[in-house]
Amino acid sequence: MELDDLLEFIKKYDESEVLDYKENLKEASAIGEYVSSLGNSALLAGFPAAHMVWGIKDMTKQIVGTSFEPYKTKTSGRNKMPLTTHLSTFTDPHVNLEFKEFTLQDKKKLVLLTIDVKHINRPIKYHGKEYIRVGTSNKNLAEFPEKERRLWQSFESSKFELESAKANLSFDEINTLLNIDYYVKARNLTGLSSTDELIQNLLEDNVIQKTGHKFNITNLGAYTLAKNIKSFPKLERRTIRITKYRGNRTLDNSIFDKMGQFGIAVSFDNVIKSVMSLLPYTEDYSEGTRKDIPMFPQIAIRELIANALVHQDFTVIGSRPFVEIFDSRIEISNPGAPLIDPRRFLDYKPKSRNDELADLLGKLNIVESRGTGIDKVVNSLEELDLPAMDIKIQGSDSTVVILHEQQKFTDMSIAEKNHSIYWHACLKYVADEQISNATLRSRFHLATRHSAAVSKAIGNSVDAGLIKPYDIEAGKKNMKYIPFWGTDILNS
């Protein structure tokens, strides 16, 4: 990270569970605890690194400079061990720590510590103790057993995709079990000149692994490309399930209930077609001929189901991706809690706990690596005048995204209005725009006479901490708003 990158990083990010600002902290034991707590929090969140920055006031993020010199600092006491040696000696497992020093034009100095956890496979200890961040405080990991459990599960989950689903197979046997024709077509590999080239691609994509003169099919290969998922018993309960109910409660009788029979990549298009066929439709004669319009846009359904598949937590036992269709809503869920705050889905780069699955589904054109999926969901819902998505986290076991049927602004609850205003603000912000009373009236197709009602809704969203003024000194009629995490005039 260069100086310009660091300054932009400071401007964009507040202190968090993976980032801490200090002015002149020099005590080796305190820095060691931060390495453990920030590093473990990064592991828990699935991030490749955590950071500390010296020379910054932690609340205001004012650049004040620092006198901390990491490569000259020594521990207190009789031994006077260099700080870097101390951290290397008393941190277990060994963590790659990179200190970088910067000098600004006004001679103020900043120090950046990058705590690289990409290759760590167990919780980080300092002096034999494990720490974790709770908000912006360092705590003993043992005091938070749920975080400790999830941290250990994060190591297990990362191994799942590459574990063997079936072993010691010939390539002909692999061809019998996996839909290699689909793989070749979806990966645009029809020009390959030999079976050896095809095998090399399958190896590079972690679909299979070589073992002597034979091959293993990985869980990743079986889960995505199986011709019959029952051939892989431990994966059978991981396929997506689609249920349609008669009514608006799970207590109502289901009129459709089906679980996937093939690999999720092979069956993905059919899953989307099945869901769309089960949605309620309305009739549209605006162009002179009848057109059936589904309750929810296909692009939103597609992106949310793809997200549910790729972001699921394979360590959660007895659970699977689920699509539940009711008369007035659809719920799409996946095992596991998200790795980032759900309110940041739209602006953060995508982060999957299942990197190999995400990579392969990207190559098969099922998910995007650019992270524009949620943008498409929010935009498509707005285009059809639908309420914004509602995201619910059910402990560490499940993430549920709910889409609701169309309703008038006046019929929405305060929470529903808050959701719609917040996601509207996010969509505008990433396009370098701000929302206002006027943009919201346009979003909800409201006349000018509804300005007071919209202002009240904006006030509720501000009070809920979801949006904030872009320019606090703007007049009431010219006031614009951005998401709570955006950069306002004062900090730009």
Side-chain angles (χ1 to χ4, degrees):
M1 191 182 295
E2 299 305 319
L3 178 57
D4 288 346
D5 299 322
L6 177 58
L7 294 176
E8 185 63 29
F9 181 84
I10 294 167
K11 183 188 297 185
K12 186 173 183 180
Y13 297 111
D14 296 331
E15 279 197 345
S16 68
E17 294 189 342
V18 295
L19 172 63
D20 202 282
Y21 294 119
K22 294 297 175 190
E23 292 183 49
N24 289 301
L25 178 68
K26 299 176 183 178
E27 182 61 41
S29 60
I31 295 173
E33 289 184 12
Y34 276 104
V35 169
S36 173
S37 65
L38 289 166
N40 285 331
S41 294
L43 287 165
L44 185 59
F47 290 163
H51 299 88
M52 290 184 71
V53 184
W54 280 260
I56 307 294
K57 282 188 174 293
D58 58 1
M59 296 299 291
T60 63
K61 295 197 293 184
Q62 178 186 354
I63 297 176
V64 295
T66 184
S67 60
F68 172 58
E69 296 180 288
Y71 294 105
K72 294 182 180 179
T73 298
K74 295 186 177 182
T75 58
S76 57
R78 187 177 302 172
N79 292 330
K80 298 293 183 183
M81 184 184 294
L83 171 65
T84 52
T85 304
H86 173 88
L87 294 176
S88 178
T89 302
F90 294 105
T91 302
D92 179 60
H94 175 72
V95 181
N96 183 23
L97 302 176
E98 181 186 7
F99 286 99
K100 202 165 184 179
E101 300 176 66
F102 302 88
T103 301
L104 281 62
Q105 289 183 348
D106 60 3
K107 306 301 182 182
K108 290 177 182 174
K109 193 173 80 171
L110 298 177
V111 176
L112 169 68
L113 169 60
T114 299
I115 305 166
D116 182 351
V117 298
K118 288 194 293 291
H119 304 295
I120 301 300
N121 59 6
R122 61 184 186 274
I124 300 167
K125 295 180 180 180
Y126 171 69
H127 259 305
K129 291 185 178 180
E130 300 161 345
Y131 297 89
I132 194 74
R133 295 277 275 185
V134 179
T136 57
S137 300
N138 297 340
K139 300 290 184 180
N140 193 315
L141 179 61
E143 297 175 7
F144 298 86
E146 178 60 20
K147 285 182 178 285
E148 185 174 22
R149 180 182 72 85
R150 287 170 51 205
L151 182 58
W152 278 106
Q153 284 184 338
S154 71
F155 304 128
E156 296 169 10
S157 182
S158 66
K159 301 174 187 175
F160 175 84
E161 298 150 286
L162 303 183
E163 289 177 356
S164 174
K166 275 196 182 299
N168 295 316
L169 304 171
S170 67
F171 184 69
D172 286 340
E173 290 172 315
I174 290 171
N175 225 336
T176 301
L177 292 165
L178 302 185
N179 195 329
I180 301 300
D181 289 341
Y182 166 85
Y183 171 82
V184 169
K185 185 176 180 180
R187 284 278 278 112
N188 195 24
L189 298 174
T190 52
L192 293 180
S193 58
S194 68
T195 299
D196 287 344
E197 285 186 82
L198 173 56
I199 290 173
Q200 186 58 36
N201 277 276
L202 291 166
L203 289 168
E204 290 174 358
D205 286 341
N206 294 309
V207 173
I208 60 174
Q209 295 171 334
K210 196 169 182 61
T211 171
H213 296 294
K214 292 201 171 184
F215 304 93
N216 297 340
I217 295 176
T218 62
N219 282 337
L220 173 66
Y223 189 59
T224 54
L225 300 173
K227 288 182 177 179
N228 184 345
I229 202 68
K230 290 184 179 179
S231 301
F232 306 94
K234 69 177 181 179
L235 296 174
E236 188 176 354
R237 289 183 58 81
R238 299 287 185 180
T239 59
I240 196 164
R241 181 173 184 172
I242 304 170
T243 303
K244 179 177 173 62
Y245 298 97
R246 182 185 288 107
N248 282 310
R249 305 175 304 166
T250 54
L251 294 176
D252 297 321
N253 293 331
S254 64
I255 56 179
F256 182 93
D257 189 23
K258 194 171 182 180
M259 286 160 278
Q261 301 175 24
F262 312 107
I264 61 167
V266 175
S267 61
F268 185 76
D269 285 345
N270 284 334
V271 166
I272 304 305
K273 289 176 183 177
S274 294
V275 172
M276 296 306 297
S277 71
L278 293 168
L279 293 176
Y281 278 70
T282 58
E283 297 177 355
D284 178 22
Y285 293 91
S286 61
E287 297 179 2
T289 58
R290 172 182 161 173
K291 183 186 293 185
D292 289 333
I293 307 296
M295 179 184 288
F296 305 110
Q298 181 168 321
I299 185 64
I301 300 299
R302 188 186 193 286
E303 295 298 332
L304 291 174
I305 290 177
N307 280 352
L309 291 170
V310 81
H311 294 300
Q312 64 180 300
D313 185 346
F314 287 109
T315 68
V316 178
I317 306 301
S319 187
R320 68 197 321 153
F322 219 121
V323 180
E324 296 177 281
I325 302 167
F326 301 86
D327 285 354
S328 64
R329 72 185 188 280
I330 182 170
E331 299 186 3
I332 299 169
S333 61
N334 62 267
L339 296 177
I340 61 174
D341 185 338
R343 297 175 300 177
R344 306 301 299 273
F345 279 0
L346 192 144
D347 71 302
Y348 261 50
K349 289 184 178 180
K351 176 61 188 174
S352 171
R353 53 168 55 89
N354 309 306
D355 289 334
E356 285 79 9
L357 177 60
D359 288 345
L360 182 56
L361 292 183
K363 291 177 180 178
L364 298 174
N365 299 310
I366 290 174
V367 300
E368 291 189 27
S369 58
R370 294 176 297 154
T372 58
I374 293 298
D375 304 49
K376 292 177 180 177
V377 173
V378 175
N379 186 64
S380 65
L381 294 175
E382 290 199 358
E383 285 182 343
L384 290 185
D385 302 327
L386 292 166
M389 60 184 175
D390 183 11
I391 304 172
K392 296 186 182 297
I393 312 302
Q394 300 178 339
S396 60
D397 293 331
S398 182
T399 302
V400 185
V401 181
I402 306 169
L403 303 183
H404 293 278
E405 68 179 347
Q406 191 177 82
Q407 54 185 306
K408 294 179 181 179
F409 180 78
T410 52
D411 293 333
M412 289 183 183
S413 67
I414 291 176
E416 288 168 338
K417 290 175 183 175
N418 283 348
H419 291 151
S420 293
I421 290 172
Y422 172 69
W423 289 111
H424 179 67
C426 292
L427 194 64
K428 289 288 188 182
Y429 186 80
V430 296
D432 200 25
E433 300 175 16
Q434 303 87 41
I435 69 168
S436 64
N437 191 296
T439 69
L440 285 168
R441 281 187 279 113
S442 176
R443 155 75 170 100
F444 295 112
H445 299 284
L446 298 172
T448 305
R449 67 177 182 274
H450 294 288
S451 293
V454 172
S455 293
K456 182 177 180 181
I458 289 173
N460 288 334
S461 295
V462 172
D463 291 343
L466 295 174
I467 62 173
K468 64 182 181 181
Y470 177 61
D471 182 358
I472 194 69
E473 296 182 357
K476 187 175 181 181
K477 289 186 177 181
N478 298 316
M479 188 67 73
K480 295 181 178 180
Y481 302 86
I482 57 176
F484 69 89
W485 44 264
T487 303
D488 56 33
I489 286 287
L490 290 176
N491 295 304
S492 60

